Amino acid sequence: MAQNNSVMHWSSLLQRGTEVLHVAGQVVPKQKTHGARTLSRVQISTMALKDNLMVAGGFRGELIFKYVDKPGVAFCTNAADNKNSVTNAVDVYESPSGATRVTAANNDCTVKFLDAERCSLLSRFTFPWSVNNTSVSPDGKLLAVLGDSSDCVITDAQSGDSDSQRAPGLLVLIGLAPRRARPGDGEPGQDVPAVGHAQPVGAVRGAGREDRRGP
């Protein structure tokens, strides 16, 4: 669980927490790759965990890679185009080639893709609104994007093309500002309309699950 400048691991068996990441002071990356930079006093806004890699984002556009079985921070940088752009969501997934990838969604209207092993920026997709959340399908081929809009956009995760392919049977669950959720059919090139009045969309879950709803 994340709170302010810390990420804790809570053991329900031992009934106690262990600090995994502490970023109240200076955060120095172990990997001195291109784009790596020292951060300080990071306030955590979001996090994701897959296997032993934890990724955290900050309220000033920060992005941190931390391997939970190793000391220190593997990589950290500022992923946003300006320091006022919150990192709203991060995700860790496996690409079709088997490589581990990281996505970071920001208020600067972009989604950035990074290679987890090399800690390098691979690509970025730009949208006409701040991006609040993303979800990659289990096969790593499709990306569902939600933001300050009433639409959910589904694109090709490699090219960003929203017209290149279709995905019948893909189920995307969308959380809306009026506190309702709508399951939508995931077909690239077709925005999934919101329910009720147009409101910014805050969360997307389950991109890529098989649609088992009845006819």
Side-chain angles (χ1 to χ4, degrees), residues 44-90:
I44 297 171
S45 58
T46 182
M47 61 166 287
L49 177 70
K50 180 178 174 60
D51 299 328
N52 63 340
L53 175 61
M54 182 185 71
V55 178
F59 278 92
R60 292 180 297 178
E62 301 97 336
L63 186 65
I64 299 170
F65 291 10
K66 161 72 177 177
Y67 288 95
V68 296
D69 57 343
K70 298 178 181 179
V73 167
F75 173 76
C76 57
T77 189
N78 193 298
D81 291 337
N82 64 76
K83 291 186 177 181
N84 295 321
S85 292
V86 180
T87 302
N88 289 317
V90 292

Side-chain angles (χ1 to χ4, degrees), residues 46-48 53 55-57 62-65 79 87-95 100-106 110-116 120-125 131 133-137 140 142-145 155 157-158 204:
T46 182
M47 61 166 287
L53 175 61
V55 178
E62 301 97 336
L63 186 65
I64 299 170
F65 291 10
T87 302
N88 289 317
V90 292
D91 194 13
V92 185
Y93 71 99
E94 187 175 298
S95 72
T100 302
R101 301 282 190 252
V102 173
T103 60
N106 290 82
T110 66
V111 177
K112 298 173 183 69
F113 292 79
L114 297 96
D115 181 275
S120 58
L121 179 66
L122 299 173
S123 60
R124 70 166 66 192
F125 300 159
V131 181
N133 214 325
T134 63
S135 185
V136 179
S137 59
L142 296 176
L143 175 73
V145 184
T155 72
Q158 302 296 316
V204 57

Side-chain angles (χ1 to χ4, degrees), residues 5 14 19 36 46 49 82 96 109 126 131 153 163 180 191 199 206 213-214:
N5 311 107
L14 300 177
E19 189 172 59
T46 182
L49 177 70
N82 64 76
C109 305
T126 302
V131 181
V153 178
D163 299 310
R180 286 179 286 181
D191 294 345
Q199 296 284 344
R213 293 173 293 166

